Amino acid sequence: MHWVLTIPGDFSLSTLLQRSQQFLLPSFEANQEYLERVEQLSSGRIVLLTVSQVPAGLQLTSDQRLTGNETEELSHKTWRMLRLGENFTRFFARFGQDTSLKKYLRPGARLLRGATLMEDIVKALLLTQHPQEQGLQRITQLVDHLGAPLPSNPTRHAWPPLDQLDQAAAALQEISGPQCAPTLVKAIDVIHTQEAELELLSQPQLPLETALAAVSKIPGMNDSALALTMLALGRYDYLPIDASARERVSKVWYNGNVVTPEKIKAAFSRWHPWEGLVYWLWV
């Protein structure tokens, strides 16, 4: 079963996937031409979604026949994952001719994210509470142990829904380890009770300081997890200045020399209020 979504004129799936390699975590799989995801629908069904770009827009293909509500749910999730509702007109109007940025901006400026904010936050916490390779391994273990298997291929699993994660303290301890698991369990409980409020933080009219204060209250939210969460929210006015950001900017602009948060802010200040987006596209 397949259907087509209309897309913005500046959208390119292949470019989005190419620049989103670090975000292609389970239960995503992709090559340059299509994106696949195992998804658990609110009806309980587990389906394989394949997304590809065709002349008419984005073609969504399910390995099973769906109801109207299920089709709408997958469309909505795809809309979020690929940021199809985000408007970059003002960004391109201001910076589209910036010679230093041009090669990073064509076509589009979107980066992949999860189907829900909960998914993005849990992944951010797992990636930043452990060394990078361990973080990737923990995410894979979480999906394989707690995610429902795809009927047509039981080796692949869906991202587990929030209520299931909220009741899986023992499994999370086994996956994340005794030191990190209690914090992760507390974070999931906070997300579960405040998910609607957290989603509102994406609104650009909300002051950045308000969004930062709210996200920072999530247990385990260190600077690196904060950077990933603000990106997931689409708060492109937030510029990462954690140790990882300093290292990346140092390699790109300062020949490996040590940089300070002040140097990072100064280097990106000309792109305000899009400095965070420029950071993720550039470095």
Side-chain angles (χ1 to χ4, degrees):
M1 175 177 178
H2 65 267
W3 64 103
V4 174
L5 292 182
T6 302
I7 55 177
D10 67 345
F11 182 84
S12 166
L13 180 63
S14 61
T15 301
L16 181 148
L17 295 176
Q18 184 177 6
R19 65 163 60 109
S20 299
Q21 291 299 307
Q22 63 181 309
F23 306 116
L24 284 168
L25 305 167
S27 55
F28 287 117
E29 289 189 11
N31 64 19
Q32 290 188 347
E33 301 302 325
Y34 65 84
L35 175 70
E36 280 189 350
R37 179 179 171 92
V38 181
E39 187 64 34
Q40 180 169 347
L41 300 173
S42 56
S43 64
R45 294 176 69 185
I46 315 300
V47 301
L48 177 64
L49 172 69
T50 303
V51 182
S52 57
Q53 190 161 357
V54 295
L58 277 183
Q59 179 169 283
L60 277 59
T61 304
S62 167
D63 64 338
Q64 303 173 44
R65 181 160 293 280
L66 306 174
T67 67
N69 287 339
E70 290 171 334
T71 301
E72 184 177 354
E73 180 179 346
L74 278 180
S75 298
H76 177 76
K77 288 181 174 180
T78 301
W79 193 263
R80 184 189 191 278
M81 292 186 292
L82 302 183
R83 301 178 188 260
L84 297 178
E86 294 187 4
N87 190 330
F88 296 93
T89 302
R90 291 175 59 196
F91 175 66
F92 282 106
R94 283 186 60 184
F95 307 119
Q97 299 306 312
D98 188 316
T99 55
S100 58
L101 286 182
K102 268 190 173 181
K103 67 178 180 179
Y104 301 99
L105 302 182
R106 297 293 186 238
R110 292 170 175 81
L111 292 157
L112 183 70
R113 60 182 173 181
T116 64
L117 180 60
M118 174 278 296
E119 176 184 341
D120 293 320
I121 296 176
V122 171
K123 284 179 175 178
L125 294 173
L126 286 173
L127 284 172
T128 57
Q129 286 181 349
H130 306 277
Q132 183 177 12
E133 290 303 319
Q134 288 186 23
L136 294 172
Q137 184 180 27
R138 297 293 189 272
I139 291 172
T140 301
Q141 290 174 336
L142 183 147
V143 172
D144 288 348
H145 283 74
L146 298 178
L150 179 67
S152 60
N153 182 357
T155 64
R156 298 185 64 178
H157 297 77
W159 180 266
L162 183 51
D163 56 353
Q164 185 175 339
L165 284 177
D166 205 23
Q167 300 171 16
L172 289 172
Q173 179 162 329
E174 181 181 347
I175 292 167
S176 189
Q179 290 185 328
C180 296
T183 300
L184 185 60
V185 170
K186 291 178 183 177
I188 290 170
D189 182 62
V190 169
I191 301 166
H192 201 173
T193 57
Q194 301 181 17
E195 188 174 21
E197 293 85 350
L198 290 170
E199 288 280 6
L200 294 176
L201 302 178
S202 62
Q203 297 179 358
Q205 65 270 26
L206 190 74
L208 177 61
E209 294 74 17
T210 302
L212 284 172
V215 173
S216 296
K217 291 179 182 177
I218 298 173
M221 188 59 64
N222 57 38
D223 287 344
S224 297
L226 180 63
L228 291 169
T229 301
M230 296 301 279
L231 173 64
L233 282 167
R235 291 306 304 242
Y236 301 127
D237 49 348
Y238 177 74
L239 177 65
I241 55 173
D242 60 297
S244 175
R246 294 197 296 272
E247 181 181 358
R248 294 170 74 178
V249 171
S250 171
K251 289 179 180 178
V252 173
W253 282 359
Y254 293 96
N255 297 318
N257 295 320
V258 176
V259 298
T260 63
E262 290 71 27
K263 278 189 176 181
I264 295 179
K265 290 177 181 178
F268 285 86
S269 62
R270 68 195 250 200
W271 292 295
H272 180 74
W274 304 89
E275 57 266 51
L277 176 59
V278 174
Y279 166 83
W280 286 106
L281 293 176
W282 198 323
V283 303

